[in-house]
Amino acid sequence: MKYLISSAIILACLAVAKYLTALFESSFPAPLLGMVLLLVLLLTGIVKEHHLKPTASPVLNYMPLFFIPAGVGIIEHLGLIAEHWPLLLTIFIVVPLTSVILIGSVIAYFKGRENDS
Amino acid sequence: MTASFWWLSVPLVIALFLALRFLNAKTHHAIAKALTNPVCWAIVLIAACLMIFKLPYAPFAEHTKVLSWLLEPAIVALALPLYQQFIHVKKNLLLILISCSLGVINATLVASIICALFAAPAELSASLASLSVTTPITLLVTDALGGIPSLAAAMVIFIGVLGAIFGNLIFSLINIQNAQAKGVAIGTACHAIGTASLITEQPKAGAFASVAMALSALLSALIVPLLYPAIQHLI
């Protein structure tokens, strides 16, 4: 029964999100809207943590499994990667490096550079 | 092709993933954990198998649709850890929220500028616009932008491994040791793999990384689909 309830909540959020994105012909991904809807339900206390856990915990635990097939799709684009590897390599290094330095500096500005613990 | 062995795809993917995860759980060193990441190796090994045996991707995708379908409800379920993290950090929420947003915006902006400098085709720059977020979210956002989701996913996974290996070196170089600064930076820029490695090494920074990772999932979903077209318009 508890599995049924938690599954129903998750699927209902997904269904409402799909309906809304279709209604407004939005390109916004429906599962992300569903996630936001469910978060609002949790924050407002309409849905409680223990309502969700029975299904959400195992689903989240095995989530990596669900995107492996999509990841394997990379083999269809090896030509593109071979052609543009200098660009990909540059982005691979510069994007995380600039983000880490930016975020680290902003927080260190307010909280200090030293380890406060 | 009348190949009848494709039904094996799902059981084999599950078995391979569980075996890799089991091996990963046996490693204790933070960098070894990142280098043996089960998702990364599952994708590499399956891709290598398909290529070695000259098998096409389409039937594999077709027969593993069950797994891909489950990704949608799983993403909705991400609201739970997001909520759990939210109520943990009420005190620091504003600063973390602002720095996460800056990180997400920076990633999209910097990638777009580099793509423009390299005169990259539109499909490629759309694939590289959403890299400051956990893999399942990048798949959806990249798809919505008209990019190649699998390429974005591969970049995100490799960036996570990079962050797990070099994160500490960078913080030494820029002389930042504050747990909150480290955690939020790694959680936003290097997502799940960076966060997992931080948790094993420095639990306090790791806790902030979990919060930042959850927040950047939400922020990327909200910001990138609006920001990317705007930047493309300007460039």
Side-chain angles (χ1 to χ4, degrees):
Chain A
M1 190 61 195
K2 57 180 186 175
Y3 292 101
L4 217 61
I5 292 174
S6 51
S7 306
I9 296 172
I10 293 170
L11 292 176
C13 286
L14 185 58
V16 170
K18 289 208 165 186
Y19 175 75
L20 287 176
T21 47
L23 188 67
F24 294 104
E25 293 172 0
S26 162
S27 63
F28 193 81
L32 293 181
L33 182 62
M35 178 181 85
V36 175
L37 286 176
L38 186 54
L39 181 66
V40 171
L41 291 177
L42 282 163
L43 287 171
T44 50
I46 296 171
V47 170
K48 299 265 185 284
E49 250 183 280
H50 66 265
H51 292 147
L52 271 181
K53 269 197 176 148
T55 305
S57 296
V59 164
L60 290 170
N61 190 22
Y62 289 101
M63 177 136 91
L65 199 48
F66 308 146
F67 56 76
I68 290 173
V72 176
I74 191 96
I75 60 169
E76 299 225 294
H77 306 283
L78 294 177
L80 190 73
I81 295 170
E83 191 185 339
H84 293 281
W85 69 266
L87 165 69
L88 296 172
L89 187 65
T90 309
I91 294 209
F92 171 63
I93 294 169
V94 176
V95 166
L97 187 66
T98 51
S99 288
V100 163
I101 294 176
L102 176 69
I103 298 169
S105 308
V106 168
I107 295 185
Y109 177 79
F110 290 101
K111 297 275 170 181
R113 293 182 169 267
E114 302 310 313
N115 196 347
D116 50 1
S117 57
Chain B
M1 195 158 82
T2 55
S4 55
F5 51 81
W6 285 111
W7 63 271
L8 277 165
S9 302
V10 171
L12 282 178
V13 169
I14 295 176
L16 177 66
F17 174 71
L18 292 179
L20 289 168
R21 181 184 263 194
F22 176 75
L23 288 176
N24 182 247
K26 294 243 165 210
T27 61
H28 297 293
H29 192 270
I31 291 178
K33 240 189 171 47
L35 287 175
T36 55
N37 178 268
V39 180
C40 182
W41 282 103
I43 291 174
V44 168
L45 291 174
I46 295 167
C49 271
L50 291 178
M51 284 162 65
I52 289 167
F53 296 106
K54 298 206 173 2
L55 296 167
Y57 172 66
F60 174 78
E62 185 62 35
H63 284 80
T64 49
K65 259 196 176 142
V66 179
L67 295 176
S68 305
W69 276 332
L70 284 167
L71 186 61
E72 294 200 344
I75 287 170
V76 177
L78 273 177
L80 182 62
L82 194 53
Y83 167 75
Q84 288 165 334
Q85 301 295 351
F86 252 146
I87 48 177
H88 263 299
V89 285
K90 277 196 178 131
K91 206 178 82 191
N92 295 311
L93 189 60
L94 187 64
L95 180 59
I96 297 178
L97 206 62
I98 291 171
S99 25
C100 270
S101 309
L102 284 175
V104 168
I105 293 169
N106 176 72
T108 306
L109 197 62
V110 169
S112 298
I113 292 171
I114 297 174
C115 282
L117 290 176
F118 278 80
E123 187 186 37
L124 202 56
S125 65
S127 310
L128 301 168
S130 178
L131 299 183
S132 194
V133 67
T134 188
T135 319
I137 309 281
T138 202
L139 286 173
L140 292 183
V141 174
T142 305
D143 195 38
L145 297 180
I148 304 161
S150 60
L151 179 58
M155 289 292 282
V156 164
I157 291 170
F158 287 134
I159 286 175
V161 177
L162 185 76
I165 297 172
F166 292 107
N168 275 324
L169 177 68
I170 304 297
F171 291 121
S172 305
L173 287 176
I174 58 174
N175 188 27
I176 288 176
Q177 292 307 323
N178 181 295
Q180 187 175 346
K182 278 177 154 181
V184 177
I186 290 292
T188 307
C190 306
H191 352 97
I193 301 176
T195 298
S197 123
L198 204 55
I199 290 174
T200 24
E201 274 185 332
Q202 306 158 52
K204 197 180 168 202
F208 281 112
S210 308
V211 176
M213 187 177 81
L215 274 180
S216 67
L218 179 67
L219 291 168
S220 284
L222 298 175
I223 295 174
V224 180
L226 299 172
L227 180 64
Y228 177 74
I231 295 175
Q232 293 308 305
H233 201 73
L234 287 174
I235 289 181

